[in-house]
Amino acid sequence: MREPDLDAEVEAFARKVMDAADNLRTATIRLTSINVDELFDSATEVTEEFISMVAGMDTASPALKAYAERVAAGECRWCDIETLARPVPPEVAEMKSLPREFIWKWTPAPPQAPPPPAWPPAQTSTGRFRSGGNVVGPSDWPDEFEDYPDDRPWR
């Protein structure tokens, strides 16, 4: 309903008040339908969104905030926090020590060992050493003319 003699500013203000009252009624209905026991009975899964929200809180440790900046810069990922963060933020230890409250699905990857060196170098039948097993040159060709490779130029 609209009053014809009502000032436009007063009408806009009244509309804001009525909208706020409607939002409050909606929030009250939603709040009464929440089962509080379900909120505290299930553990919270630690996801990228969750830990990033924790890092954004005022109470987050400096180590967690620093790692969040590295994640935002694309330098690392949240799932690697245990192996790449130095020092490891205290929030990580706390979440991992409370399995009934937090589900931590990220497991740190074991450090990868470097590949073994190619030592000693392979020796050909001519007594020359090859730097790798895939190097082929004129000294590796057989002595029969029919077995030579095609006429591709060498570089």
Side-chain angles (χ1 to χ4, degrees), residues 42-55 64 78-79 81-82 91-107:
S42 62
T44 303
E45 182 177 346
V46 179
T47 61
E48 291 182 359
E49 294 82 20
F50 177 77
I51 200 160
S52 128
M53 180 187 67
V54 171
L64 187 61
W78 282 114
C79 60
I81 191 168
E82 290 180 272
E91 291 89 347
V92 172
E94 185 177 348
M95 288 181 207
K96 288 190 77 170
S97 68
L98 300 170
R100 289 184 164 202
E101 296 179 29
F102 298 101
I103 301 170
W104 188 273
K105 291 192 174 182
W106 297 323
T107 55

Side-chain angles (χ1 to χ4, degrees), residues 49-151:
E49 294 82 20
F50 177 77
I51 200 160
S52 128
M53 180 187 67
V54 171
M57 299 173 83
D58 294 336
T59 57
S61 68
L64 187 61
K65 288 181 179 183
Y67 193 81
E69 290 175 10
R70 291 174 61 191
V71 170
E75 183 182 332
C76 48
R77 302 175 308 166
W78 282 114
C79 60
D80 299 326
I81 191 168
E82 290 180 272
T83 55
L84 298 179
R86 292 292 175 250
V88 176
E91 291 89 347
V92 172
E94 185 177 348
M95 288 181 207
K96 288 190 77 170
S97 68
L98 300 170
R100 289 184 164 202
E101 296 179 29
F102 298 101
I103 301 170
W104 188 273
K105 291 192 174 182
W106 297 323
T107 55
Q112 296 181 359
W119 191 260
Q123 189 174 11
T124 62
S125 59
T126 61
R128 296 183 181 148
F129 287 98
R130 287 190 210 166
S131 59
N134 58 355
V135 177
V136 177
S139 62
D140 296 321
W141 294 344
D143 291 334
E144 277 74 45
F145 182 74
E146 296 84 27
D147 296 332
Y148 280 96
D150 56 355
D151 294 327

